[in-house]
Amino acid sequence: MGAIHSTPSFSSATASCESNDGSSGPSYEPDSKIPSGAASSVPPAPMPVLSRPETFEEKLYRKFKAEPLVPIGCLTTAYFLGSGIKSFYNRDPVKSQSMMRLRVASQFATLMIFIGYAGMNAFTFELAPGMAVPSEQGYGGKSGGDKEE
């Protein structure tokens, strides 16, 4: 059973946009609503700065610098995978099995490192975000019993 959604009626808003002079669209006069001194006090918005797109090498270097353990974990996983496939090809089941187990362990470690980096970037060290610090409230770090004379 679904909920019934009602849409608000905008008939008064559309009626106010219609003009009486017979034109097809609403007319807009920008200077009629703004007080005379308000427009000159607002500075114009700065032009956006356009930058060139980041190359693959630049992005790789930036990501490796920000989170160095994730690519190292990926390379370790790839090494264990390649070594396990090579030992499987050489018909060494004991080494192949141990390499595949090490691959799974390195995948798990890489995933935990990735989650750790994501959690570290999302975690803030503020005790109560949005709360005022007592020194910002004018107390100056003094206790309530100490009064100046």
Side-chain angles (χ1 to χ4, degrees):
M1 302 193 139
I4 299 173
H5 298 288
S6 64
T7 57
S9 173
F10 295 107
S11 62
S12 62
T14 55
S16 64
C17 292
E18 296 173 0
S19 61
N20 293 334
D21 60 358
S23 63
S24 61
S27 63
Y28 177 70
E29 298 174 12
D31 295 332
S32 64
K33 305 284 185 203
I34 301 173
S36 61
S40 63
S41 65
V42 177
M47 293 297 293
V49 178
L50 300 176
S51 63
R52 64 179 178 82
E54 190 176 34
T55 64
F56 175 75
E57 290 83 15
E58 291 171 341
K59 185 174 183 178
L60 186 68
Y61 179 75
R62 180 178 53 88
K63 294 281 189 175
F64 193 88
K65 188 177 176 183
E67 300 172 352
L69 295 178
V70 173
I72 291 171
C74 291
L75 290 174
T76 305
T77 302
Y79 169 76
F80 286 134
L81 177 64
S83 181
I85 290 172
K86 182 182 174 193
S87 60
F88 180 75
Y89 181 74
N90 291 335
R91 308 243 182 221
D92 187 3
V94 175
K95 186 176 179 183
S96 176
Q97 185 68 18
S98 67
M99 288 296 126
M100 289 299 139
R101 288 179 179 168
L102 287 172
R103 176 193 57 88
V104 170
S106 67
Q107 278 181 320
F108 178 73
T110 303
L111 185 63
M112 291 297 112
I113 289 168
F114 183 75
I115 291 171
Y117 276 128
M120 185 176 68
N121 292 338
F123 185 72
T124 60
F125 292 102
E126 296 178 14
L127 295 176
M131 298 293 292
V133 179
S135 62
E136 293 175 357
Q137 293 178 346
Y139 296 124
K142 297 178 182 169
S143 64
D146 298 336
K147 294 185 180 179
E148 292 183 19
E149 294 182 28

